[in-house]
Amino acid sequence: MSGRPGRGAPTLRDGAPDSVKFPAVRPCRPSLFRPARREEREEFVAESYSSALVDAPVERVWRVFGDFAALADWHPAITAGEIEQNSSPFVVGAVRKLWLADGSTVRERLVSFDSVRCSYGYEMLEGPFPVRNYRATVRVTPVTATGATFAEWSAHYDADADQVVELDRVFREDVFAAGLAALARICAG
């Protein structure tokens, strides 16, 4: 049996019959930008992602993060918010309108809600950002060893190639990371 270069221990593939096919190794996170052809301009499918450890139990964090209507109560970039047509913020189809610090507004529709897995998804209907097909997911999971919570916020969207880097920075840092930091402060107290 041959070992790994520089080590005496055999690898998983050592001694495997030639008929065994191992799957190609893929990175755990896809590339940030994937080119996609749409109409005549070059457009990219982009992903923005942030995560944080929150020093509070998942039930407390989900009570705040999982309320689709309450983003303005704790996110520093949101000055006000409302659920349109007095619908429930926990029912798929609910639409929230958010007022940003610069005076612009964003409208988002809840597209999935899972109180057992502590996650929901939403799509942006209107907003000041030059994106199309914007879909975001928020999720919290318990860190069983410590009693803390792992919180994630991510989005996939289409954008013009020359806008992708700046949009990723805005969503990742100004929206998701800033929001998760505020969530951590509120829930830990």
Side-chain angles (χ1 to χ4, degrees):
M1 253 188 212
S2 63
R4 287 179 277 184
R7 297 188 184 178
T11 66
L12 180 63
R13 295 177 193 243
D14 290 339
D18 290 336
S19 62
V20 174
K21 301 292 184 206
F22 292 94
V25 175
R26 297 182 340 170
C28 62
R29 196 157 173 252
S31 172
L32 183 60
F33 312 116
R34 295 187 309 271
R37 294 282 179 197
R38 304 248 201 293
E39 300 170 13
E40 293 181 13
R41 65 178 178 262
E42 189 158 17
E43 190 171 86
F44 284 80
V45 178
E47 175 187 16
S48 299
Y49 176 90
S50 285
S51 63
L53 275 176
V54 179
D55 190 19
V58 73
E59 296 81 11
R60 183 184 315 158
V61 177
W62 180 241
R63 209 172 16 253
V64 175
F65 203 22
D67 186 346
F68 190 64
L71 193 60
D73 295 343
W74 54 270
H75 197 296
I78 312 296
T79 59
E82 69 182 16
I83 295 291
E84 295 180 358
Q85 301 176 348
N86 293 323
S87 58
S88 169
F90 308 104
V91 174
V92 170
V95 175
R96 69 182 174 194
K97 185 173 184 178
L98 305 169
W99 283 264
L100 307 180
D102 67 1
S104 60
T105 60
V106 177
R107 289 181 67 237
E108 299 169 333
R109 178 178 24 239
L110 188 64
V111 296
S112 65
F113 188 88
D114 188 337
S115 61
V116 174
R117 290 192 172 99
C118 299
S119 70
Y120 69 78
Y122 63 93
E123 63 185 348
M124 187 183 304
L125 302 174
E126 298 170 12
F129 307 105
V131 297
R132 292 161 300 283
N133 304 315
Y134 179 99
R135 288 251 177 163
T137 302
V138 301
R139 180 173 63 163
V140 296
T141 54
V143 178
T144 58
T146 64
T149 299
F150 183 68
E152 298 176 281
W153 200 342
S154 64
H156 293 84
Y157 49 90
D158 297 336
D160 292 342
D162 62 340
Q163 300 278 321
V164 170
V165 171
E166 178 60 12
L167 284 167
D168 177 53
R169 186 201 63 75
V170 167
F171 291 133
R172 183 175 29 85
E173 295 176 14
D174 300 343
V175 179
F176 305 159
L180 292 171
L183 179 71
R185 282 190 302 275
I186 287 170
C187 292

